[in-house]
Amino acid sequence: MSSRAPTATVFEPEYLEGFRQIYEEKIVFNQTLGLRLTEIVPEGRVSARIDMRHALVGHFAYNRIHGGVISAALDAIGSAAVMAALAAKHMDEPPTKRLERFGKLGTIDLRIDYLRPGIGEFFTIHAECLRVGSRVGTSRMEFRGPDGTLMSAGAAAYIVS
């Protein structure tokens, strides 16, 4: 009986670069938000950052980030976590083939709970894929302030085929 630990999945640099390009450049709205990926884990965890700037203000009197920015950021990172988990399931495919799977991705359901006002110099967004099947993937997401305070939380389902 072997007691070897399972080998951890590692994404190739080519795949990671393509993943970043899709989420930071090719999805132009994410570019407008200033979304920058900070972590992509094959087990279906993705993190990002958005720096606060005037164009993202939703309440002028308090310099709060707009709720639509929060929702869009959580949706983007939730789908990214599902795509990372899906790619990890298909490591037998070349990176370009796994990246093509983004073309079939679509949001089915999105729920956002706004817990605290979004005030801060920057925000971090985290998501974890809960499950990815042959047709649907689900994730949970968090939107946090500079000190790590949870400001909003979300859950989503995505079509993946």
Side-chain angles (χ1 to χ4, degrees), residues 43-159:
E43 289 76 22
R45 288 191 320 275
V46 176
S47 296
R49 175 181 165 130
I50 291 179
D51 292 328
M52 185 59 177
R53 57 188 205 283
H54 182 72
L56 304 180
V57 171
H59 194 296
F60 65 91
Y62 300 104
N63 203 38
R64 278 189 215 147
I65 195 164
H66 194 283
V69 174
I70 294 170
S71 176
L74 289 171
D75 186 23
I77 297 308
S79 72
V82 166
M83 290 311 299
L86 184 63
K89 282 179 67 171
H90 295 281
M91 290 301 289
D92 57 319
E93 297 175 351
T96 53
K97 177 85 170 156
R98 280 180 273 139
L99 289 169
E100 287 174 10
R101 292 179 176 275
F102 282 89
K104 296 183 178 183
L105 176 71
T107 305
I108 297 172
D109 186 53
L110 177 66
R111 176 187 167 84
I112 307 298
D113 293 319
Y114 299 96
L115 308 171
R116 291 180 182 80
I119 300 172
E121 295 174 17
F122 69 89
F123 306 95
T124 58
I125 307 100
H126 309 278
E128 179 179 7
C129 178
L130 302 176
R131 182 181 185 281
V132 64
S134 60
R135 298 201 32 88
V136 175
T138 58
S139 63
R140 283 195 193 140
M141 305 84 72
E142 297 179 341
F143 189 91
R144 294 185 173 271
D147 64 354
T149 300
L150 182 64
M151 296 180 160
S152 296
Y158 303 91
I159 190 80

Side-chain angles (χ1 to χ4, degrees), residues 9-74:
T9 303
V10 177
F11 288 140
E12 308 87 341
E14 174 187 358
Y15 179 80
L16 290 172
E17 181 55 30
F19 194 102
R20 285 185 197 286
Q21 282 180 0
I22 288 168
Y23 275 92
E24 293 180 1
E25 298 169 24
K26 292 181 180 178
I27 301 174
V28 179
F29 189 67
N30 290 350
Q31 202 174 30
T32 301
L33 298 175
L35 188 76
R36 293 285 171 246
L37 298 176
T38 57
E39 178 183 47
I40 305 164
V41 178
E43 289 76 22
R45 288 191 320 275
V46 176
S47 296
R49 175 181 165 130
I50 291 179
D51 292 328
M52 185 59 177
R53 57 188 205 283
H54 182 72
L56 304 180
V57 171
H59 194 296
F60 65 91
Y62 300 104
N63 203 38
R64 278 189 215 147
I65 195 164
H66 194 283
V69 174
I70 294 170
S71 176
L74 289 171

